[in-house]
Amino acid sequence: MDALDVLDLIWLVPTLPAIGAVVLLLFGKRIGEPKSGYLATSLMALSFLGSVAAFFALGSLGSEERHHVYNWFTWISSIGKNSDFTVSFGFLADPLSITMILFVTGISTLIHLYAIGYMARDPRFSRFFAYLNLFAASMLVLVLGSSFLMTFMGWEGVGLCSYLLISFWFERNSAAVAGKKAFVTNRVGDFGFMIAMFLIFSKLGSLDYATALPAAPGLSQGTITAIALLLFVGAMGKSAQFPLHIWLPDAMEGPTPVSALIHAATMVTAGVFLVSRAHVFFDLGGSANDVVAWIGAITALGAATIAIRQNDIKRVLAYSTLSQLGYMFLAVGVGSYSAALFHMVTHAFFKALLFLGAGSVIHGMHHEQDMRRMGGLKRAMPITAGTFIIGWLAIAGVPPFAGFWSKDEILAKAWFSDVAGGKALWAIGLVAALLTAFYMSRQVWLVFFGNARYDSEGDHAVNPHESPMTMVLPLVVLSGLSIVGGFLSLPFTSPNLEFLVRWLEPSLEGASHIEASSFGLGFALSVGAIVIGITGIAIGRRVYSGGLAEDGTDPVETRLAGFGKVLENAYYIDAGIAKAVSGPLTGAANFLTDTVDRRLIDGAVNGTGRAFKELGGGLRRVQTGRVRSYALGIMLGAVALLGWFATRVDF
């Protein structure tokens, strides 16, 4: 079997977990626990092996040949007056899509395995794994789709699955509300994506990537910019960028494996993927890239400040994800797509590790999530603590851990880019890096070190314990990836060391290459980033090494005074949107419904109907059904007709 034959089987990668979803939805109760979990995990593992086979098959081809489309069947076929519209159910295997499916299937497999232990004895165990399989399958369709419409189908699939999984424990009102919030917020972004597709098809006549992307330079500047910004609106929804970020922190209401899957391997990475896939529109979109970069920078810094004052162990990580996604959009905004994708991959490793580590803590603490009621857990949970610390060092940017290499590359690209305000973007990114190291250090010390603040005696005693092997093994694997993941693309000129950058080149053809003006300056910037990370860690250790006071008072809260409440409530953005929706926006909607729709539009339509009804009623009275009345009418008509002739004829 040659390379192309292997790539023709790429459809198996999303199909395997999709089959698992169908089987578990239909027969999950019969299969039972834990067999349902092992079935779902096995199918994800097979999908990962298929991704590895596709990687080697594509790698065996020359760089100019690494673009293979397999059209499974014709999905939509429509014959129009001026042109035909045909969409194939096709999959695109190129370096970008293969990179995505490798970490999506790999991370998803580990999360599925972890979930077997985490979701043990849940009454809807089998259904959970059906949704988890469907979530992964939707993401794989999204990244493998050969057209905007195929991508959009997967895009809507992950949106549906996020709703099902965030609100999985729907008995809790907070979980049900969080699921609806995620669903509605993402519809705003999806609207932008849909309008962008309408524009692309109306101007280029096709939604296939192979046709639309090469033809994009022929469009007018205004059209290209509009398409780029509309696609970015879609990306803002899925990747939770300001101001469409409000759904992601509340998504923590779902089970922890869901949080890990959303944040590390599936939904939130979709926006970065879309911008990278459609990079030609952003490269030619004039000010569109500036918008992307600044929205990313604002999100990175704003989310980092909010994370400082969160006390829920998962909520800290949620705002951390917002901040890290901001870094990725900052990178694509300055034109360095490879740096953004590099950080996406390393972030998948350490963020999955951190979320699963947090889930292990929650499991060992009998579902306690408030860090103020933890402390000193390193002794009771040594494996969880050790692996979590590796994830902490990776996200804090300490070399040689994975996060240092990718985050440092983004900061360097911002400094050396030709984008207006590049130095300011670099400065914002550096401040966000300092805050990241600080709030993650705060989390580590509040959870694993310092004084124990949980009740170990009494009726509600908490006895922390290490998690089962199905949960611990993924932590160990992910900690290893968080150590070595950065070596995928070291910042040196050797092709063997910049592997990921070279690998992605065929998919990012035409994108700008940002090079350091001098080795010395680049080295100085790296040293500065290391110093910033270590400084943040040192401050966090100094403030929280002793844990918290008996009353749970946070030292930072005391220093921040009233501003601490602002950060704790996320700048009241969410509350402000809720108040606006329940106040002016509801009032405006009621005005449109009651006045414009019912009185004006319905009034005009109903009034016209009533007028014709009255006219018909008047005419109906003439039709009496009496013959003598009709004879009288005929006679009067004849007399009138004779009179008319008499006045106009000369005798």
Side-chain angles (χ1 to χ4, degrees):
M1 183 180 290
D2 63 17
L4 294 181
D5 291 332
V6 173
L7 293 175
D8 279 344
L9 296 175
I10 195 72
W11 58 273
L12 283 171
V13 173
T15 301
L16 287 169
I19 291 173
V22 173
V23 170
L24 291 176
L25 283 173
L26 295 176
F27 309 108
K29 286 188 177 181
R30 291 186 181 181
I31 297 173
E33 178 188 344
K35 293 180 181 178
S36 295
Y38 285 115
L39 173 62
T41 304
S42 299
L43 289 170
M44 278 308 313
L46 289 174
S47 184
F48 172 67
L49 292 177
S51 302
V52 172
F55 167 73
F56 283 109
L58 194 70
S60 67
L61 303 175
S63 59
E64 68 283 350
E65 298 175 298
R66 293 175 185 170
H67 183 100
H68 181 76
V69 176
Y70 175 73
N71 291 319
W72 199 358
F73 57 86
T74 299
W75 178 21
I76 301 172
S77 181
S78 175
I79 300 175
K81 182 177 179 181
N82 298 320
S83 63
D84 297 341
F85 178 57
T86 302
V87 177
S88 297
F89 201 94
F91 298 105
L92 168 60
D94 73 340
L96 176 57
S97 63
I98 296 300
T99 300
M100 295 295 298
I101 65 173
L102 277 171
F103 83 79
V104 169
T105 55
I107 299 297
S108 295
T109 300
L110 294 172
I111 293 172
H112 276 67
L113 178 62
Y114 175 95
I116 295 173
Y118 190 88
M119 297 299 292
R121 295 179 294 281
D122 190 282
R124 294 188 296 275
F125 183 88
S126 298
R127 180 173 295 185
F128 177 81
F129 278 93
Y131 291 164
L132 218 58
N133 261 186
L134 185 60
F135 202 173
S138 298
M139 185 65 188
L140 292 168
V141 170
L142 189 158
V143 299
L144 283 171
S146 61
S147 66
F148 282 102
L149 197 57
M150 278 290 294
T151 293
F152 189 71
M153 185 176 72
W155 190 271
E156 292 303 292
V158 296
L160 170 64
C161 294
S162 68
Y163 166 72
L164 295 172
L165 287 166
I166 292 170
S167 57
F168 185 76
W169 288 326
F170 56 83
E171 300 89 347
R172 299 194 320 233
N173 183 62
S174 57
V177 170
K180 289 185 287 186
K181 186 176 183 179
F183 191 80
V184 172
T185 305
N186 273 276
R187 298 293 74 73
V188 177
D190 295 352
F191 178 75
F193 193 172
M194 290 175 65
I195 299 300
M197 286 197 297
F198 296 156
L199 261 178
I200 292 169
F201 181 71
S202 66
K203 298 296 182 180
L204 300 176
S206 176
L207 292 174
D208 287 346
Y209 291 129
T211 302
L213 296 181
L219 298 175
S220 66
Q221 181 67 60
T223 301
I224 293 176
T225 303
I227 291 172
L229 291 175
L230 287 166
L231 289 173
F232 181 55
V233 170
M236 288 168 63
K238 280 291 181 286
S239 294
Q241 294 297 284
F242 175 83
L244 299 181
H245 66 287
I246 55 174
W247 68 270
L248 193 57
D250 288 350
M252 299 303 96
E253 292 291 338
T256 299
V258 175
S259 304
L261 198 60
I262 289 175
H263 287 249
T266 56
M267 190 162 168
V268 298
T269 63
V272 181
F273 164 79
L274 178 64
V275 175
S276 300
R277 173 63 77 199
H279 69 90
V280 63
F281 290 107
F282 291 87
D283 291 336
L284 302 172
S287 59
N289 262 359
D290 294 338
V291 173
V292 175
W294 280 101
I295 290 292
I298 291 169
T299 305
L301 181 59
T305 59
I306 294 170
I308 291 172
R309 284 296 298 122
Q310 302 304 306
N311 296 312
D312 185 302
I313 187 172
K314 286 170 63 178
R315 213 168 179 86
V316 173
L317 297 177
Y319 281 107
S320 167
T321 298
L322 289 176
S323 185
Q324 298 304 305
L325 289 166
Y327 273 109
M328 297 176 208
F329 281 106
L330 190 159
V332 297
V334 300
S336 184
Y337 301 95
S338 59
L341 294 167
F342 181 27
H343 195 55
M344 182 196 296
V345 174
T346 62
H347 176 261
F349 298 153
F350 60 72
K351 185 52 61 68
L353 170 60
L354 291 169
F355 262 111
L356 297 186
S360 182
V361 170
I362 295 167
H363 182 272
M365 288 288 293
H366 307 287
H367 302 288
E368 178 61 67
Q369 294 187 204
D370 193 330
M371 297 187 299
R372 293 171 296 185
R373 299 191 183 97
M374 297 180 185
L377 295 180
K378 183 175 179 292
R379 293 183 298 275
M381 308 179 71
I383 301 176
T384 298
T387 54
F388 196 96
I389 286 170
I390 290 173
W392 159 54
L393 294 173
I395 195 173
V398 176
F401 298 94
F404 163 73
W405 302 104
S406 55
K407 188 186 293 184
D408 180 68
E409 183 172 356
I410 290 174
L411 293 173
K413 298 301 184 185
W415 177 276
F416 291 114
S417 71
D418 295 329
V419 175
K423 303 296 189 298
L425 292 169
W426 169 84
I428 292 172
L430 202 64
V431 174
L434 174 68
L435 294 174
T436 300
F438 171 75
Y439 68 69
M440 287 304 302
S441 300
R442 171 181 180 263
Q443 184 175 52
V444 167
W445 259 277
L446 287 182
V447 174
F448 296 108
F449 299 102
N451 56 324
R453 298 176 298 282
Y454 51 87
D455 184 10
S456 58
E457 299 178 356
D459 296 336
H460 303 286
V462 176
N463 298 302
H465 56 83
E466 191 59 89
S467 298
M469 185 56 64
T470 53
M471 295 173 64
V472 168
L473 181 59
L475 295 179
V476 175
V477 174
L478 288 167
S479 64
L481 292 172
S482 297
I483 295 172
V484 304
F487 296 101
L488 282 171
S489 191
L490 296 177
F492 304 108
T493 55
S494 171
N496 295 327
L497 296 177
E498 279 194 311
F499 170 76
L500 188 61
V501 174
R502 306 300 180 194
W503 167 256
L504 290 169
E505 279 181 352
S507 298
L508 302 175
E509 187 177 358
S512 59
H513 292 279
I514 303 171
E515 302 292 344
S517 58
S518 71
F519 174 81
L521 181 55
F523 182 77
L525 291 174
S526 296
V527 171
I530 295 171
V531 171
I532 284 293
I534 293 175
T535 301
I537 293 173
I539 296 172
R541 182 182 184 280
R542 181 176 179 82
V543 174
Y544 291 102
S545 59
L548 297 179
E550 292 298 326
D551 61 357
T553 302
D554 193 317
V556 170
E557 182 180 4
T558 305
R559 289 177 173 84
L560 290 174
F563 190 62
K565 283 292 182 186
V566 175
L567 297 181
E568 190 173 343
N569 290 279
Y571 295 103
Y572 296 100
I573 294 173
D574 206 350
I577 292 174
K579 188 169 289 188
V581 169
S582 61
L585 292 179
T586 299
N590 289 335
F591 172 78
L592 291 173
T593 300
D594 297 334
T595 303
V596 177
D597 190 18
R598 291 179 182 170
R599 296 183 183 180
L600 295 180
I601 298 175
D602 286 354
V605 173
N606 294 336
T608 302
R610 281 194 296 270
F612 278 97
K613 181 181 178 181
E614 293 296 329
L615 179 61
L619 293 173
R620 186 176 59 191
R621 295 190 187 98
V622 178
Q623 304 296 323
T624 62
R626 297 174 181 173
V627 176
R628 60 187 178 184
S629 297
Y630 296 157
L632 178 61
I634 293 171
M635 183 188 72
L636 292 175
V639 170
L641 187 60
L642 289 172
W644 184 82
F645 275 110
T647 59
R648 284 164 174 75
V649 177
D650 294 331
F651 294 98

